[in-house]
Amino acid sequence: MTIKGRVFSGARPTGRQHLGNYLGAIKNYVALQDDYDCIYCIVDIHALTTVETTEDLKENIYEMALDWLAAGIRPEDSIVFIQSHVPYVMEMHTLLSMVTPLGKLTELPTFKEKIKQNPNNVNYGLVGYPVLMTADIVLYKADTVPVGVDQAPHLEFAREIVRSFNYRYGTKVLIEPKVKHTEVLKVLGIDGKKKMSKSLDNHIELAATPEETDKRVMQMLTDPQRVRREDPGDPDVCNVFSMHKIFSPKDEIEMINTECRRAGIGCVDCKKRFSANLNKHLEPFRAKRAEIEKSPDSVWDILRDGAKRANAIAKDVIEETRAAIGLPE
Ligand code: ADP
């Protein structure tokens, strides 16, 4: 029997998840459970670096957890928990900060981008974001971290922090995580231009009703060159077609690919078909979500149980780390 690797991944609590989250993260989270011991964390402390108000924080955590569970994250196999429920992470963050060069943190592209987005809120936490991320990874002895391209520099930096720590204290206590590059496709919003995102209000929620989904899909941009029904279209530049390729049966994809090019099918019909296929695909998800929603406490229980299991791992690692540094018992 081979020992499974351990995956850690965190996501900020953004409430109800959309198609971008699903195709870019959740689907992969679900699949990884077959090959790894997975730890999935809702990083509420990380969220504090940019949120303006915490009014919706609990609800956002709940809705996101609900979506994860309904999508197939199995709490009996994986640890699903809230970051702040394991306070050891703050300690690990502080300990790692001592071996983290400040100059490098401020040079990271994501940091530069964040200060551009929030010029009036360049806080200390924002600078330390990658250190807190590293603390999460090492605290649970994760050896594998799935990342998309945008997070790759953070992961490389996390590995450097781990190496510096182990070198400085002559230890091997912290595990240098391996990057698992995930083929993340960038899902465009209904505007067909920008990345699908809640803040841009160009998203399609997984938990939307079929009617709401139809409405959103009808607003999707298709091939911008195709103005009239009788114009032939180009599926290669059409966002709706890119979605068909994921959610529609093979013969339907082929039919649309051919018929769109010779104006045999119009955009409205094409969107109706996509919406129907998407709704069908999401049916089991929505049914499971509705079922779990009947007892909201069960979601919080799962998160609390996950925190218990996460705390047990973290406690040992923190003790080993303190000992490796030479802090008194
Ligand atoms: P975070 O700051 O935690 O990454 P987001 O809500 O931006 O929060 O994203 C959560 C996850 O969903 C990330 O893995 C991100 O890459 C993925 N994701 C979000 N939007 C999209 C999108 N439009 N296309 C592909 N993946 C996306």
Side-chain angles (χ1 to χ4, degrees), residues 99 160-173:
V99 297
E160 271 178 54
I161 296 173
V162 170
R163 284 198 296 270
S164 302
F165 182 94
N166 286 346
Y167 180 75
R168 160 92 74 97
Y169 299 110
T171 176
K172 287 190 175 144
V173 65

Side-chain angles (χ1 to χ4, degrees), residues 58-76:
K58 281 188 200 144
E59 181 165 344
N60 283 340
I61 291 172
Y62 172 79
E63 293 285 342
M64 184 154 116
L66 189 54
D67 278 346
W68 281 8
L69 297 168
I73 290 182
R74 304 185 294 269
E76 60 281 15

Side-chain angles (χ1 to χ4, degrees), residues 32-314:
L32 284 166
Q33 296 179 115
D34 295 335
D35 300 318
Y36 295 89
D37 287 326
C38 297
I39 304 184
Y40 296 130
C41 181
I42 300 179
V43 293
D44 54 346
I45 303 293
H46 271 121
L48 300 182
T49 56
T50 51
V51 294
E52 278 156 28
T53 153
T54 49
E55 241 169 61
D56 303 329
L57 189 62
K58 281 188 200 144
E59 181 165 344
N60 283 340
I61 291 172
Y62 172 79
E63 293 285 342
M64 184 154 116
L66 189 54
D67 278 346
W68 281 8
L69 297 168
I73 290 182
R74 304 185 294 269
E76 60 281 15
D77 295 329
S78 304
I79 297 179
V80 187
F81 74 109
I82 303 169
Q83 187 180 31
S84 65
H85 279 175
V86 184
Y88 290 122
V89 76
M90 327 296 176
E91 179 175 349
M92 185 59 93
H93 169 260
T94 305
L95 298 176
L96 294 181
S97 73
M98 311 301 170
V99 297
T100 307
L102 183 59
K104 275 222 151 172
L105 284 173
T106 52
E107 278 310 307
L108 282 171
T110 35
F111 174 68
K112 289 185 172 165
E113 205 178 293
K114 284 266 157 68
I115 48 179
K116 238 192 251 162
Q117 285 164 359
N118 312 282
N120 300 321
N121 186 19
V122 185
N123 57 69
Y124 177 59
L126 205 53
V127 186
Y129 198 104
V131 189
L132 186 57
M133 187 186 104
T134 310
D136 266 325
I137 297 166
V138 296
L139 195 57
Y140 307 106
K141 284 197 184 284
D143 51 29
T144 307
V145 180
V147 289
V149 267
D150 52 341
Q151 285 291 321
H154 277 178
L155 227 281
E156 207 31 66
F157 192 43
R159 288 160 57 86
E160 271 178 54
I161 296 173
V162 170
R163 284 198 296 270
S164 302
F165 182 94
N166 286 346
Y167 180 75
R168 160 92 74 97
Y169 299 110
T171 176
K172 287 190 175 144
V173 65
L174 302 185
I175 296 177
E176 199 177 317
K178 282 195 301 280
V179 179
K180 185 169 172 58
H181 284 288
T182 46
E183 203 45 63
V184 176
L185 126 138
K186 183 167 138 189
V187 180
L188 295 181
I190 57 172
D191 53 14
K193 294 189 183 92
K194 300 221 169 85
K195 194 171 152 176
M196 185 176 284
S197 148
K198 207 169 188 167
S199 54
L200 296 173
D201 193 21
N202 64 359
H203 60 302
I204 299 175
E205 276 179 4
L206 302 176
T209 62
E211 296 72 32
E212 286 163 351
T213 308
D214 292 342
K215 239 171 130 180
R216 283 304 248 187
V217 170
M218 278 306 150
Q219 294 164 0
M220 281 178 83
L221 184 85
T222 52
D223 171 5
Q225 302 292 328
R226 190 176 187 194
V227 184
R228 294 163 308 165
R229 167 67 184 80
E230 57 272 29
D231 292 339
D234 180 0
D236 296 334
V237 298
C238 176
N239 192 27
V240 178
F241 185 66
S242 68
M243 290 286 119
H244 268 295
K245 286 199 272 191
I246 300 168
F247 293 103
S248 300
K250 209 161 163 263
D251 51 350
E252 198 170 349
I253 300 170
E254 277 166 20
M255 182 279 285
I256 294 168
N257 195 13
T258 312
E259 294 303 320
C260 173
R261 289 178 204 278
R262 58 176 184 219
I265 179 173
C267 294
V268 172
D269 187 18
C270 182
K271 287 182 193 180
K272 277 189 187 152
R273 285 167 177 272
F274 163 55
S275 200
N277 292 335
L278 177 62
N279 281 326
K280 190 156 171 241
H281 182 91
L282 290 174
E283 230 170 61
F285 164 86
R286 288 168 178 165
K288 190 161 177 201
R289 197 181 199 279
E291 191 54 43
I292 304 171
E293 237 183 334
K294 283 185 196 156
S295 46
D297 283 350
S298 68
V299 176
W300 293 110
D301 287 345
I302 285 168
L303 293 171
R304 271 186 225 107
D305 175 67
K308 236 188 241 164
R309 289 150 69 197
N311 257 299
I313 304 170

